[in-house]
Amino acid sequence: MREEFRSLDESLLPAVVEIERASNASPWSENSFRAEIGSSEGEFLVLLSGGIPVGFGGYWAVVDEAHITNIAVAPEHRRRGFGRRIMEELLRRAAQRGLVCSTLEVRASNHPAVRLYESLGYQTVARRRRYYPDNQEDALVLWLYDLTPWKT
Ligand SMILES: CC(C)(COP(=O)(O)OP(=O)(O)OC[C@H]1O[C@@H](n2cnc3c(N)ncnc32)[C@H](O)[C@@H]1OP(=O)(O)O)[C@@H](O)C(=O)NCCC(=O)NCCS
């Protein structure tokens, strides 16, 4: 199946919002995604497989850091490597942009996501108690300190 990354645009918004609603307990609004379209402060990518949007991910460039803002894969397409592919593409693009490190927050109970991030070299460095307002869950703060290997 042919796979391609596209930058988020208006035509991809409905699919992205649907994936988000199926994936996130406190989903971003459509307008939050719309604000990412064409932003020069970061990138927001949608992965299509056989022409179908299967997942998305984005980062903000904050000084020299790539802050991963959101990533999700549609439930029916999980465990097929798409999440890893999206993260790898974000890290490659961030490194090529000259960013030197990356950080993100994740719910403490989100083991699939934590395992994905750790497999890419992220380390858990802090815990923010009761960070998520919907269920008072703690957030883990992860850092990937060196994006140099992602430049090539
Ligand atoms: C996290 C998420 C993006 C992973 O996407 P995915 O396409 O299923 O992930 P991949 O198939 O690329 O898996 C990559 C690695 O992640 C880990 N992983 C993914 N799903 C897992 C699960 N259910 N249990 C344990 N580890 C898991 C594994 O280490 C896996 O590597 P492996 O297949 O070699 O074991 C997906 O589960 C998702 O959309 N979750 C809901 C949204 C979310 O939690 N986003 C993160 C917010 S911080």
Side-chain angles (χ1 to χ4, degrees), residues 68 76 93 106 116 120:
I68 305 298
E76 66 274 24
R93 291 186 185 217
V106 57
L116 167 60
L120 292 163

Side-chain angles (χ1 to χ4, degrees), residues 105-124:
E105 278 148 8
V106 57
R107 287 176 191 261
S109 69
N110 193 345
H111 303 300
V114 172
R115 287 191 56 176
L116 167 60
Y117 302 141
E118 286 179 346
S119 75
L120 292 163
Y122 283 86
Q123 298 170 38
T124 301

Side-chain angles (χ1 to χ4, degrees), residues 23-24 70-74 77-85 104-107 110-113 115-117 119:
S23 301
N24 197 328
N70 200 345
I71 172 173
V73 170
H77 294 295
R78 288 184 193 157
R79 296 310 311 254
R80 290 164 54 189
F82 291 136
R84 184 183 301 283
R85 212 112 74 232
L104 56 85
E105 278 148 8
V106 57
R107 287 176 191 261
N110 193 345
H111 303 300
R115 287 191 56 176
L116 167 60
Y117 302 141
S119 75

Side-chain angles (χ1 to χ4, degrees), residues 26-99:
S26 295
W28 281 19
S29 68
E30 184 172 317
N31 274 337
S32 298
F33 286 107
R34 189 171 279 119
E36 300 296 317
I37 296 175
S39 165
S40 58
E41 310 298 316
E43 290 192 76
F44 206 98
L45 303 176
V46 181
L47 176 58
L48 292 91
S49 174
I52 294 167
V54 294
F56 60 77
Y59 72 84
W60 290 338
V62 181
V63 194
D64 57 2
E65 303 164 359
H67 285 230
I68 305 298
T69 54
N70 200 345
I71 172 173
V73 170
E76 66 274 24
H77 294 295
R78 288 184 193 157
R79 296 310 311 254
R80 290 164 54 189
F82 291 136
R84 184 183 301 283
R85 212 112 74 232
I86 293 167
M87 281 302 299
E88 289 176 348
E89 186 71 13
L90 292 176
L91 294 176
R92 253 194 303 274
R93 291 186 185 217
Q96 281 160 10
R97 190 190 179 107
L99 303 180

Side-chain angles (χ1 to χ4, degrees), residues 104-109 124 126-132 136-142:
L104 56 85
E105 278 148 8
V106 57
R107 287 176 191 261
S109 69
T124 301
R127 177 182 279 261
R128 298 200 172 120
R129 303 268 169 209
R130 299 191 183 86
Y131 182 78
Y132 293 98
Q136 311 298 312
E137 185 170 359
D138 294 352
L140 303 179
V141 181
L142 276 68

